[in-house]
Amino acid sequence: MDFKRIFKAASAVVLSAAIALSLAVSCFAINRPVDFTERFTVVWSELRDDGQVLLLSGESLGLCELILSNGEDYEVGVDTVDLPPEASYNPLPYDSYDSFLKGGEIPEGTVLWVTFSELLETWPERIEGLKSIVFVYHKTSLSIGEVEEIFNELNEFNETDKFSIYKISSENFPAKGEYTVLSTDFDEKTGEYRFLFSTYKIAYSESEQRENKYFTTFMTSASDKIEFSDDGTDRGKELSELYKNKKPIPAGTVCELTTANEILETYPPQIEVYAVKFTDKPTDYTAEEAIFETEGINEMGYGFEVPEDTGLFADSDPEPMIFTGGKLYVLAPELGNVELPQGAEIKPTGEAKFSAGEPSEENTQNFSHDAIGFAPAEFNGYECLIAETSEGWRYFKLSGGEPPEYSPAPTEYETVPNPGYEANPKTGSAFSLIALAGVLAWCAAAFSRLEVRNQRGRSQKFRG
């Protein structure tokens, strides 16, 4: 008897069985439904006779639609695990839970953990195969400004004005903004770490015929309710370490704050802060403004250290500049204002956003907190820009050199090319091509997102 041949044959049978079993298990695992769990914020809710419709904004999935039908089988609960001591300051999840159980709407701003098995590729994408929803204690990080952007996109897509922040519970959403640190201190006896934050808005005064700054300066104490983080830059990380070690944060530091929408009109004003993010962004405060605001707060007996010029503050009177097309342009007051024939209008070809200091990023400027329009122009054959300022349309010349011969302020109309739309019957309309390109790009992005989601599916068990 040939034992070697028998052994090889038996080994082959066992190996074949193992491979078959492995393939069977693999196929079973591939075909088995995968549950997804995502944290969402409710941005819109609407009751219907058979249930309610929710529009949800996910942290990674973006905008989705969830239909909660009456009689549908899924779990509902409230996340009450590891609540911090100040849990009572956010009653929204409990109120939302009670409202839902009584057949009412889930208020906008409610945070939910949603577990489901399928996501249909519509827009917004629709959640199917609902397994559970859990009302979460935490406040949403979605700001009211971000909700407004979502509604603008929905209205444009659906050709409606149905979605409006004025029709939702906007107080349930926080506000986000950049604030400048004027002063900080740490009390060794009480263990209290205090911040003095400030921001301002610019508004044009008709009576004074000029723009004025209106400051909002307030103090807050660090607490467990405030989440501290950084923007990932080296500077942001250094500032985080300073805070963790209870060291002062340099005056002139810019932080991104997540706050309540409501500001108590006291002096100083009171604003509830939910999150502080340290950044390396430059401030547009001058040292004089920081000192003035801090001294004003100290008149109420708060005792903050008055800031010095740390080198982080902006110049008191910056030279107006625009950076575009890889070139820096500076205001040319010697050219006067741009004059146009009666009834003529200038159509800007670009828009420059504010950047403190000397602008160095494409389409930025340092003289207006609101974005300004600009367009290319010529003056005596010299390349320049025209831009809209508080004093009207003005000329900006290339930085670093003078033109060969500048004339005095113009007495006749100068040539200002207007690149506004001109119909060309030979080329036809490009809108259909642009729309087709947009649809193809959206489909490619949606397919890519679906592939990513299929790879990161996970299930989670909740205790209601």
mmCIF file of all heavy atoms in Angstrom, residues 178-213:
data_model
loop_
_atom_site.group_PDB
_atom_site.id
_atom_site.type_symbol
_atom_site.label_atom_id
_atom_site.label_comp_id
_atom_site.label_asym_id
_atom_site.label_seq_id
_atom_site.Cartn_x
_atom_site.Cartn_y
_atom_site.Cartn_z
ATOM 1 N N GLU A 178 -14.596 84.649 15.325
ATOM 2 C CA GLU A 178 -13.205 84.834 15.749
ATOM 3 C C GLU A 178 -13.122 85.998 16.726
ATOM 4 O O GLU A 178 -13.639 87.084 16.455
ATOM 5 C CB GLU A 178 -12.309 85.079 14.528
ATOM 6 C CG GLU A 178 -12.190 83.867 13.631
ATOM 7 C CD GLU A 178 -11.309 84.107 12.418
ATOM 8 O OE1 GLU A 178 -10.810 85.251 12.269
ATOM 9 O OE2 GLU A 178 -11.112 83.166 11.625
ATOM 10 N N TYR A 179 -12.471 85.740 17.856
ATOM 11 C CA TYR A 179 -12.311 86.737 18.912
ATOM 12 C C TYR A 179 -10.832 86.911 19.224
ATOM 13 O O TYR A 179 -10.046 85.957 19.114
ATOM 14 C CB TYR A 179 -13.051 86.305 20.189
ATOM 15 C CG TYR A 179 -14.564 86.372 20.091
ATOM 16 C CD1 TYR A 179 -15.280 85.431 19.360
ATOM 17 C CD2 TYR A 179 -15.282 87.375 20.743
ATOM 18 C CE1 TYR A 179 -16.664 85.485 19.269
ATOM 19 C CE2 TYR A 179 -16.663 87.436 20.666
ATOM 20 C CZ TYR A 179 -17.351 86.495 19.928
ATOM 21 O OH TYR A 179 -18.717 86.556 19.850
ATOM 22 N N THR A 180 -10.467 88.109 19.627
ATOM 23 C CA THR A 180 -9.087 88.401 20.007
ATOM 24 C C THR A 180 -8.956 88.377 21.521
ATOM 25 O O THR A 180 -9.785 88.956 22.237
ATOM 26 C CB THR A 180 -8.659 89.778 19.467
ATOM 27 O OG1 THR A 180 -8.641 89.728 18.038
ATOM 28 C CG2 THR A 180 -7.271 90.155 19.959
ATOM 29 N N VAL A 181 -7.924 87.693 22.004
ATOM 30 C CA VAL A 181 -7.633 87.678 23.445
ATOM 31 C C VAL A 181 -6.987 89.009 23.823
ATOM 32 O O VAL A 181 -5.952 89.390 23.265
ATOM 33 C CB VAL A 181 -6.682 86.513 23.795
ATOM 34 C CG1 VAL A 181 -6.301 86.584 25.279
ATOM 35 C CG2 VAL A 181 -7.328 85.177 23.481
ATOM 36 N N LEU A 182 -7.603 89.724 24.757
ATOM 37 C CA LEU A 182 -7.031 90.972 25.245
ATOM 38 C C LEU A 182 -6.203 90.757 26.505
ATOM 39 O O LEU A 182 -5.194 91.441 26.723
ATOM 40 C CB LEU A 182 -8.129 92.002 25.535
ATOM 41 C CG LEU A 182 -9.067 92.353 24.365
ATOM 42 C CD1 LEU A 182 -10.002 93.477 24.771
ATOM 43 C CD2 LEU A 182 -8.268 92.725 23.133
ATOM 44 N N SER A 183 -6.623 89.789 27.329
ATOM 45 C CA SER A 183 -5.887 89.522 28.567
ATOM 46 C C SER A 183 -6.364 88.196 29.162
ATOM 47 O O SER A 183 -7.501 87.776 28.921
ATOM 48 C CB SER A 183 -6.115 90.658 29.581
ATOM 49 O OG SER A 183 -5.282 90.508 30.707
ATOM 50 N N THR A 184 -5.476 87.513 29.908
ATOM 51 C CA THR A 184 -5.839 86.303 30.649
ATOM 52 C C THR A 184 -5.157 86.340 32.000
ATOM 53 O O THR A 184 -4.130 87.014 32.179
ATOM 54 C CB THR A 184 -5.405 85.015 29.915
ATOM 55 O OG1 THR A 184 -3.990 85.064 29.693
ATOM 56 C CG2 THR A 184 -6.106 84.867 28.590
ATOM 57 N N ASP A 185 -5.711 85.622 32.951
ATOM 58 C CA ASP A 185 -5.025 85.470 34.239
ATOM 59 C C ASP A 185 -5.488 84.199 34.936
ATOM 60 O O ASP A 185 -6.541 83.643 34.608
ATOM 61 C CB ASP A 185 -5.231 86.693 35.153
ATOM 62 C CG ASP A 185 -6.692 86.932 35.509
ATOM 63 O OD1 ASP A 185 -7.458 85.965 35.651
ATOM 64 O OD2 ASP A 185 -7.081 88.096 35.661
ATOM 65 N N PHE A 186 -4.676 83.723 35.858
ATOM 66 C CA PHE A 186 -4.990 82.521 36.631
ATOM 67 C C PHE A 186 -4.818 82.835 38.105
ATOM 68 O O PHE A 186 -3.764 83.303 38.542
ATOM 69 C CB PHE A 186 -4.071 81.368 36.233
ATOM 70 C CG PHE A 186 -4.302 80.112 37.027
ATOM 71 C CD1 PHE A 186 -5.471 79.390 36.871
ATOM 72 C CD2 PHE A 186 -3.360 79.670 37.934
ATOM 73 C CE1 PHE A 186 -5.704 78.243 37.605
ATOM 74 C CE2 PHE A 186 -3.579 78.525 38.675
ATOM 75 C CZ PHE A 186 -4.761 77.798 38.508
ATOM 76 N N ASP A 187 -5.869 82.614 38.882
ATOM 77 C CA ASP A 187 -5.859 82.868 40.326
ATOM 78 C C ASP A 187 -5.446 81.579 41.040
ATOM 79 O O ASP A 187 -6.194 80.594 41.040
ATOM 80 C CB ASP A 187 -7.251 83.313 40.784
ATOM 81 C CG ASP A 187 -7.248 83.837 42.214
ATOM 82 O OD1 ASP A 187 -6.464 83.326 43.036
ATOM 83 O OD2 ASP A 187 -8.030 84.759 42.509
ATOM 84 N N GLU A 188 -4.260 81.589 41.641
ATOM 85 C CA GLU A 188 -3.749 80.399 42.334
ATOM 86 C C GLU A 188 -4.634 79.994 43.501
ATOM 87 O O GLU A 188 -4.773 78.805 43.808
ATOM 88 C CB GLU A 188 -2.319 80.666 42.833
ATOM 89 C CG GLU A 188 -1.295 80.898 41.746
ATOM 90 C CD GLU A 188 -0.897 79.612 41.059
ATOM 91 O OE1 GLU A 188 -1.330 78.532 41.508
ATOM 92 O OE2 GLU A 188 -0.161 79.692 40.052
ATOM 93 N N LYS A 189 -5.259 80.963 44.157
ATOM 94 C CA LYS A 189 -6.065 80.663 45.343
ATOM 95 C C LYS A 189 -7.376 79.977 44.969
ATOM 96 O O LYS A 189 -7.769 78.989 45.583
ATOM 97 C CB LYS A 189 -6.352 81.956 46.114
ATOM 98 C CG LYS A 189 -5.095 82.609 46.706
ATOM 99 C CD LYS A 189 -5.462 83.867 47.479
ATOM 100 C CE LYS A 189 -4.216 84.501 48.080
ATOM 101 N NZ LYS A 189 -4.550 85.753 48.819
ATOM 102 N N THR A 190 -8.051 80.514 43.960
ATOM 103 C CA THR A 190 -9.364 79.963 43.599
ATOM 104 C C THR A 190 -9.269 78.923 42.485
ATOM 105 O O THR A 190 -10.216 78.176 42.258
ATOM 106 C CB THR A 190 -10.300 81.094 43.137
ATOM 107 O OG1 THR A 190 -9.753 81.695 41.945
ATOM 108 C CG2 THR A 190 -10.433 82.157 44.219
ATOM 109 N N GLY A 191 -8.126 78.876 41.783
ATOM 110 C CA GLY A 191 -7.981 77.963 40.656
ATOM 111 C C GLY A 191 -8.783 78.394 39.441
ATOM 112 O O GLY A 191 -9.040 77.594 38.544
ATOM 113 N N GLU A 192 -9.128 79.692 39.391
ATOM 114 C CA GLU A 192 -9.942 80.202 38.292
ATOM 115 C C GLU A 192 -9.052 80.779 37.189
ATOM 116 O O GLU A 192 -8.155 81.584 37.462
ATOM 117 C CB GLU A 192 -10.900 81.283 38.797
ATOM 118 C CG GLU A 192 -11.839 81.808 37.723
ATOM 119 C CD GLU A 192 -12.766 82.892 38.249
ATOM 120 O OE1 GLU A 192 -12.266 83.886 38.811
ATOM 121 O OE2 GLU A 192 -13.994 82.740 38.095
ATOM 122 N N TYR A 193 -9.306 80.358 35.970
ATOM 123 C CA TYR A 193 -8.588 80.863 34.791
ATOM 124 C C TYR A 193 -9.575 81.717 34.008
ATOM 125 O O TYR A 193 -10.624 81.251 33.588
ATOM 126 C CB TYR A 193 -8.097 79.695 33.938
ATOM 127 C CG TYR A 193 -7.037 80.055 32.919
ATOM 128 C CD1 TYR A 193 -5.734 79.616 33.051
ATOM 129 C CD2 TYR A 193 -7.342 80.836 31.809
ATOM 130 C CE1 TYR A 193 -4.758 79.932 32.122
ATOM 131 C CE2 TYR A 193 -6.376 81.158 30.875
ATOM 132 C CZ TYR A 193 -5.090 80.707 31.039
ATOM 133 O OH TYR A 193 -4.121 81.034 30.104
ATOM 134 N N ARG A 194 -9.222 83.004 33.800
ATOM 135 C CA ARG A 194 -10.140 83.931 33.147
ATOM 136 C C ARG A 194 -9.597 84.388 31.787
ATOM 137 O O ARG A 194 -8.393 84.533 31.608
ATOM 138 C CB ARG A 194 -10.385 85.162 34.020
ATOM 139 C CG ARG A 194 -10.990 84.891 35.381
ATOM 140 C CD ARG A 194 -11.385 86.194 36.051
ATOM 141 N NE ARG A 194 -10.258 87.151 36.126
ATOM 142 C CZ ARG A 194 -10.370 88.418 36.494
ATOM 143 N NH1 ARG A 194 -11.561 88.898 36.825
ATOM 144 N NH2 ARG A 194 -9.309 89.203 36.545
ATOM 145 N N PHE A 195 -10.528 84.613 30.876
ATOM 146 C CA PHE A 195 -10.206 85.157 29.562
ATOM 147 C C PHE A 195 -10.962 86.466 29.360
ATOM 148 O O PHE A 195 -12.119 86.591 29.781
ATOM 149 C CB PHE A 195 -10.634 84.201 28.446
ATOM 150 C CG PHE A 195 -9.802 82.965 28.318
ATOM 151 C CD1 PHE A 195 -10.067 81.854 29.103
ATOM 152 C CD2 PHE A 195 -8.765 82.899 27.403
ATOM 153 C CE1 PHE A 195 -9.315 80.702 28.978
ATOM 154 C CE2 PHE A 195 -8.005 81.748 27.271
ATOM 155 C CZ PHE A 195 -8.274 80.654 28.056
ATOM 156 N N LEU A 196 -10.331 87.412 28.695
ATOM 157 C CA LEU A 196 -11.017 88.611 28.233
ATOM 158 C C LEU A 196 -10.967 88.581 26.697
ATOM 159 O O LEU A 196 -9.902 88.742 26.098
ATOM 160 C CB LEU A 196 -10.345 89.881 28.763
ATOM 161 C CG LEU A 196 -11.092 91.197 28.481
ATOM 162 C CD1 LEU A 196 -12.461 91.187 29.156
ATOM 163 C CD2 LEU A 196 -10.268 92.395 28.943
ATOM 164 N N PHE A 197 -12.131 88.331 26.087
ATOM 165 C CA PHE A 197 -12.242 88.227 24.633
ATOM 166 C C PHE A 197 -12.902 89.475 24.062
ATOM 167 O O PHE A 197 -13.712 90.113 24.744
ATOM 168 C CB PHE A 197 -13.095 87.013 24.232
ATOM 169 C CG PHE A 197 -12.444 85.682 24.471
ATOM 170 C CD1 PHE A 197 -12.923 84.817 25.441
ATOM 171 C CD2 PHE A 197 -11.350 85.287 23.705
ATOM 172 C CE1 PHE A 197 -12.337 83.581 25.645
ATOM 173 C CE2 PHE A 197 -10.758 84.052 23.907
ATOM 174 C CZ PHE A 197 -11.247 83.204 24.880
ATOM 175 N N SER A 198 -12.589 89.771 22.806
ATOM 176 C CA SER A 198 -13.213 90.928 22.170
ATOM 177 C C SER A 198 -13.344 90.710 20.674
ATOM 178 O O SER A 198 -12.519 90.042 20.045
ATOM 179 C CB SER A 198 -12.387 92.190 22.439
ATOM 180 O OG SER A 198 -13.067 93.349 21.984
ATOM 181 N N THR A 199 -14.400 91.281 20.117
ATOM 182 C CA THR A 199 -14.598 91.330 18.670
ATOM 183 C C THR A 199 -15.315 92.626 18.346
ATOM 184 O O THR A 199 -15.739 93.353 19.253
ATOM 185 C CB THR A 199 -15.414 90.123 18.170
ATOM 186 O OG1 THR A 199 -15.415 90.116 16.739
ATOM 187 C CG2 THR A 199 -16.858 90.196 18.662
ATOM 188 N N TYR A 200 -15.436 92.938 17.069
ATOM 189 C CA TYR A 200 -16.180 94.143 16.710
ATOM 190 C C TYR A 200 -16.773 94.007 15.320
ATOM 191 O O TYR A 200 -16.363 93.167 14.522
ATOM 192 C CB TYR A 200 -15.302 95.400 16.795
ATOM 193 C CG TYR A 200 -14.133 95.443 15.830
ATOM 194 C CD1 TYR A 200 -14.297 95.778 14.493
ATOM 195 C CD2 TYR A 200 -12.839 95.181 16.285
ATOM 196 C CE1 TYR A 200 -13.226 95.836 13.623
ATOM 197 C CE2 TYR A 200 -11.759 95.237 15.436
ATOM 198 C CZ TYR A 200 -11.954 95.569 14.099
ATOM 199 O OH TYR A 200 -10.881 95.614 13.242
ATOM 200 N N LYS A 201 -17.759 94.851 15.077
ATOM 201 C CA LYS A 201 -18.364 94.967 13.755
ATOM 202 C C LYS A 201 -18.175 96.396 13.253
ATOM 203 O O LYS A 201 -18.049 97.328 14.046
ATOM 204 C CB LYS A 201 -19.858 94.620 13.798
ATOM 205 C CG LYS A 201 -20.150 93.170 14.138
ATOM 206 C CD LYS A 201 -21.641 92.886 14.116
ATOM 207 C CE LYS A 201 -21.922 91.424 14.427
ATOM 208 N NZ LYS A 201 -23.381 91.129 14.422
ATOM 209 N N ILE A 202 -18.147 96.537 11.948
ATOM 210 C CA ILE A 202 -18.003 97.856 11.338
ATOM 211 C C ILE A 202 -19.321 98.228 10.676
ATOM 212 O O ILE A 202 -19.894 97.440 9.922
ATOM 213 C CB ILE A 202 -16.861 97.869 10.310
ATOM 214 C CG1 ILE A 202 -15.522 97.621 11.011
ATOM 215 C CG2 ILE A 202 -16.818 99.184 9.548
ATOM 216 C CD1 ILE A 202 -14.337 97.609 10.082
ATOM 217 N N ALA A 203 -19.802 99.418 10.981
ATOM 218 C CA ALA A 203 -21.042 99.908 10.382
ATOM 219 C C ALA A 203 -20.837 101.357 9.952
ATOM 220 O O ALA A 203 -20.107 102.114 10.600
ATOM 221 C CB ALA A 203 -22.210 99.797 11.360
ATOM 222 N N TYR A 204 -21.481 101.703 8.868
ATOM 223 C CA TYR A 204 -21.343 103.060 8.346
ATOM 224 C C TYR A 204 -22.315 103.987 9.057
ATOM 225 O O TYR A 204 -23.500 103.689 9.194
ATOM 226 C CB TYR A 204 -21.610 103.074 6.840
ATOM 227 C CG TYR A 204 -21.339 104.419 6.191
ATOM 228 C CD1 TYR A 204 -20.037 104.814 5.895
ATOM 229 C CD2 TYR A 204 -22.389 105.278 5.885
ATOM 230 C CE1 TYR A 204 -19.784 106.042 5.306
ATOM 231 C CE2 TYR A 204 -22.144 106.511 5.290
ATOM 232 C CZ TYR A 204 -20.838 106.888 5.007
ATOM 233 O OH TYR A 204 -20.587 108.102 4.428
ATOM 234 N N SER A 205 -21.799 105.119 9.549
ATOM 235 C CA SER A 205 -22.608 106.112 10.247
ATOM 236 C C SER A 205 -23.014 107.200 9.264
ATOM 237 O O SER A 205 -22.155 107.913 8.719
ATOM 238 C CB SER A 205 -21.823 106.712 11.414
ATOM 239 O OG SER A 205 -22.526 107.804 11.977
ATOM 240 N N GLU A 206 -24.316 107.312 9.032
ATOM 241 C CA GLU A 206 -24.802 108.347 8.120
ATOM 242 C C GLU A 206 -24.555 109.735 8.685
ATOM 243 O O GLU A 206 -24.216 110.665 7.945
ATOM 244 C CB GLU A 206 -26.301 108.147 7.855
ATOM 245 C CG GLU A 206 -26.637 106.891 7.054
ATOM 246 C CD GLU A 206 -26.199 107.001 5.610
ATOM 247 O OE1 GLU A 206 -25.865 108.130 5.177
ATOM 248 O OE2 GLU A 206 -26.180 105.967 4.914
ATOM 249 N N SER A 207 -24.718 109.882 10.005
ATOM 250 C CA SER A 207 -24.542 111.201 10.617
ATOM 251 C C SER A 207 -23.088 111.663 10.563
ATOM 252 O O SER A 207 -22.798 112.833 10.331
ATOM 253 C CB SER A 207 -25.030 111.182 12.068
ATOM 254 O OG SER A 207 -24.297 110.221 12.823
ATOM 255 N N GLU A 208 -22.159 110.724 10.771
ATOM 256 C CA GLU A 208 -20.741 111.071 10.761
ATOM 257 C C GLU A 208 -20.101 110.890 9.395
ATOM 258 O O GLU A 208 -18.951 111.285 9.175
ATOM 259 C CB GLU A 208 -19.991 110.220 11.793
ATOM 260 C CG GLU A 208 -20.488 110.402 13.218
ATOM 261 C CD GLU A 208 -19.737 109.513 14.203
ATOM 262 O OE1 GLU A 208 -18.545 109.247 13.958
ATOM 263 O OE2 GLU A 208 -20.348 109.088 15.194
ATOM 264 N N GLN A 209 -20.846 110.264 8.465
ATOM 265 C CA GLN A 209 -20.347 110.029 7.109
ATOM 266 C C GLN A 209 -19.038 109.241 7.104
ATOM 267 O O GLN A 209 -18.096 109.556 6.363
ATOM 268 C CB GLN A 209 -20.160 111.366 6.378
ATOM 269 C CG GLN A 209 -21.457 112.122 6.121
ATOM 270 C CD GLN A 209 -22.390 111.377 5.155
ATOM 271 O OE1 GLN A 209 -22.027 111.128 4.009
ATOM 272 N NE2 GLN A 209 -23.571 111.038 5.628
ATOM 273 N N ARG A 210 -18.974 108.215 7.944
ATOM 274 C CA ARG A 210 -17.779 107.378 7.984
ATOM 275 C C ARG A 210 -18.117 106.039 8.652
ATOM 276 O O ARG A 210 -19.178 105.889 9.270
ATOM 277 C CB ARG A 210 -16.636 108.056 8.739
ATOM 278 C CG ARG A 210 -16.901 108.301 10.212
ATOM 279 C CD ARG A 210 -15.749 109.078 10.845
ATOM 280 N NE ARG A 210 -15.962 109.347 12.253
ATOM 281 C CZ ARG A 210 -15.558 108.559 13.242
ATOM 282 N NH1 ARG A 210 -14.929 107.430 12.952
ATOM 283 N NH2 ARG A 210 -15.780 108.876 14.505
ATOM 284 N N GLU A 211 -17.181 105.075 8.525
ATOM 285 C CA GLU A 211 -17.361 103.778 9.172
ATOM 286 C C GLU A 211 -16.899 103.834 10.621
ATOM 287 O O GLU A 211 -15.868 104.458 10.932
ATOM 288 C CB GLU A 211 -16.574 102.692 8.424
ATOM 289 C CG GLU A 211 -17.129 102.371 7.047
ATOM 290 C CD GLU A 211 -16.358 101.257 6.367
ATOM 291 O OE1 GLU A 211 -15.155 101.091 6.693
ATOM 292 O OE2 GLU A 211 -16.940 100.563 5.520
ATOM 293 N N ASN A 212 -17.654 103.194 11.515
ATOM 294 C CA ASN A 212 -17.290 103.124 12.928
ATOM 295 C C ASN A 212 -17.178 101.669 13.361
ATOM 296 O O ASN A 212 -17.831 100.794 12.806
ATOM 297 C CB ASN A 212 -18.336 103.830 13.806
ATOM 298 C CG ASN A 212 -18.273 105.338 13.678
ATOM 299 O OD1 ASN A 212 -17.199 105.894 13.444
ATOM 300 N ND2 ASN A 212 -19.411 105.999 13.811
ATOM 301 N N LYS A 213 -16.342 101.435 14.365
ATOM 302 C CA LYS A 213 -16.209 100.099 14.951
ATOM 303 C C LYS A 213 -17.057 100.015 16.221
ATOM 304 O O LYS A 213 -17.010 100.911 17.066
ATOM 305 C CB LYS A 213 -14.744 99.811 15.298
ATOM 306 C CG LYS A 213 -13.826 99.680 14.097
ATOM 307 C CD LYS A 213 -12.398 99.370 14.541
ATOM 308 C CE LYS A 213 -11.480 99.174 13.350
ATOM 309 N NZ LYS A 213 -10.081 98.882 13.761
#
